[in-house]
Amino acid sequence: QVQLVESGGGLVQPGGSLRLSCAASGFTLAHYSIGWSRQAPGKEREEILCISRSDGVTYYVDSAKGRFTASRDNAKNTVYLQMNSLKPEDTAVYYCAAAMRGCGLGYDYWGQGTQVTVSS
């Protein structure tokens, strides 16, 4: 069964950090580009960044540059989103998605999301 599962979300104070995980089962993440997106209450889903099969990271949101980064652990079949200097406006449900064709070319699989709340 093909599945993506996000974890690592939670409540964090402004200025804090979180590392989200995106674990795959049923397929090999190393063969896919992985995108991270988020959806805040009342807003459309926003794509944040994408990490390619060769570990190049493309940012789609300026506010993520310098604060968020993505990495892979192929041995664990997992991709991570490291988020630093978090702000209240980063509060959202965060999703990962896998793209066989590459970043920006459509996603084949989606996770169910994990909630991130940034609040004091």
Side-chain angles (χ1 to χ4, degrees):
Q1 181 182 0
V2 171
Q3 196 173 14
L4 279 174
V5 178
E6 301 96 335
S7 62
L11 174 63
V12 62
Q13 292 187 342
S17 298
L18 278 177
R19 189 179 76 161
L20 306 184
S21 299
C22 173
S25 58
F27 68 104
T28 302
L29 269 185
H31 299 164
Y32 289 76
S33 297
I34 304 299
W36 285 95
S37 60
R38 64 187 178 186
Q39 187 165 20
K43 295 187 177 181
E44 294 187 355
R45 189 172 298 192
E46 172 184 60
E47 192 165 8
I48 305 167
L49 56 80
C50 181
I51 180 168
S52 70
R53 288 185 291 269
S54 59
D55 289 347
V57 178
T58 301
Y59 289 89
Y60 300 114
V61 177
D62 286 342
S63 64
K65 295 178 183 179
R67 298 191 301 129
F68 293 8
T69 190
S71 61
R72 296 177 178 270
D73 186 337
N74 291 333
K76 295 183 178 180
N77 213 26
T78 299
V79 170
Y80 302 99
L81 178 67
Q82 177 68 43
M83 305 187 294
N84 300 323
S85 302
L86 284 162
K87 306 175 182 180
E89 51 263 42
D90 294 318
T91 295
V93 178
Y94 284 70
Y95 301 88
C96 64
M100 170 65 81
R101 291 170 294 278
C103 293
L105 298 177
Y107 292 105
D108 302 286
Y109 308 118
W110 286 88
Q112 84 292 344
T114 185
Q115 176 71 47
V116 171
T117 302
V118 184
S119 175
S120 56

